[in-house]
């Protein structure tokens, strides 16, 4: 007899949860958020990976976020290139009910590592510095959750590198690199409702 009562209590609690969640407002009314996303890059090079970001939105019209990504790069000449883009964005959300656009710009760097195929051979690592801009689209799907897509263009300066099976090399002069990037992800919003 105790099991049917526990089951009925659980059903009542679950049915009450959506009504309580509706009273919590929109996720866009919350001050903080954390996100996870898949990312793809194309342009001077091709790459794919994952990323995460932390967001603080102190005002309805302005927010900042910091992000970190881990990508594998399609790299000619053998070897393995893995990049770790990181940086920050400043954005201005434009809200239309449960949907909003988010124009943004920011500064970034990439910790980039090129490992030749031969173990113990010289590496071709570098740090690239740049800036970026783009637009994001977000859809509220729950009082604390949203899904998003970001499209952006990145411009970097760094050293061109080469890797062969037995060695790696880094140019002495700075070169310009660019790529277009698409992020698709989910975001958890938290903190007090504004």
């Amino acid at each position: 007899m105790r099991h049917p009562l526990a089951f009925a209590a659980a059903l009542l609690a679950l049915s009450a949860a959506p009504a309580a969640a509706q009273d919590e407002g929109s996720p866009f009314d919350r001050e903080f958020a954390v996100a996870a996303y898949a990312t793809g890059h194309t342009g001077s090079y091709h790459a794919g990976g994952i990323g995460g970001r932390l967001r603080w939105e102190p005002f309805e019209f302005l927010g900042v976020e910091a992000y970190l990504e881990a990508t594998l790069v399609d790299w000619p000449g053998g070897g393995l290139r893995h990049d770790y883009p990181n940086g920050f964005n400043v954005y201005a959300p434009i809200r239309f009910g449960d949907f909003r656009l988010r124009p943004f710009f920011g500064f970034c760097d990439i910790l980039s590592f090129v490992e030749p195929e031969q173990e113990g051979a010289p590496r071709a690592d570098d740090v690239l510095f740049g800036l970026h801009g783009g637009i994001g689209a977000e859809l509220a799907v729950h009082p604390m959750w949203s899904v998003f897509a970001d499209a952006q263009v990145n411009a970097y300066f760094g050293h061109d590198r080469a890797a062969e099976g037995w060695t790696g090399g880094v140019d002495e002069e700075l070169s310009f690199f660019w790529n277009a990037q698409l992020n698709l992800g989910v975001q958890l919003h938290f903190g007090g409702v504004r």
Side-chain angles (χ1 to χ4, degrees):
M1 187 67 111
R2 291 173 53 187
H3 295 295
L5 289 177
F7 180 74
L11 282 178
L12 283 174
L14 288 174
S15 64
Q22 290 174 357
D23 295 338
E24 293 178 21
S26 169
F28 302 142
D29 295 331
R30 298 181 183 278
E31 190 173 357
F32 300 99
V34 61
Y37 56 91
T39 184
H41 302 246
T42 188
S44 295
Y45 58 89
H46 305 294
I50 58 171
R53 68 184 181 202
L54 295 173
R55 174 181 284 181
W56 177 42
E57 207 168 282
F59 308 106
E60 291 181 11
F61 59 89
L62 182 69
V64 294
E65 58 192 7
Y67 67 89
L68 173 63
E69 298 170 1
T71 62
L72 288 177
V73 179
D74 181 17
W75 192 245
L80 170 68
R81 176 175 168 182
H82 46 107
D83 286 0
Y84 301 91
N86 61 90
F88 74 93
N89 297 321
V90 176
Y91 63 92
I94 304 166
R95 188 168 167 183
F96 305 95
D98 286 339
F99 175 79
R100 70 180 183 176
L101 295 175
R102 191 178 54 85
F104 62 89
F105 76 94
F107 296 94
C108 49
D109 67 65
I110 298 178
L111 306 176
S112 182
F113 304 96
V114 176
E115 303 175 27
E117 293 172 348
Q118 182 68 34
E119 189 175 332
R123 297 167 56 98
D125 302 337
D126 196 23
V127 178
L128 290 74
F129 296 95
L131 52 91
H132 57 268
I135 189 159
E138 300 177 332
L139 178 65
V141 294
H142 179 273
M144 294 182 70
W145 292 92
S146 66
V147 294
F148 65 89
D150 295 338
Q152 69 187 62
V153 175
N154 306 304
Y156 298 106
F157 286 94
H159 298 98
D160 202 5
R161 287 156 303 144
E164 299 296 334
W166 54 274
T167 191
V170 178
D171 275 358
E172 293 182 12
E173 297 194 15
L174 289 176
S175 298
F176 170 78
F177 304 94
W178 73 275
N179 68 38
Q181 179 176 351
L182 177 65
N183 302 327
L184 300 173
V186 63
Q187 192 158 245
L188 171 64
H189 301 254
F190 58 96
V193 176
R194 282 194 298 267

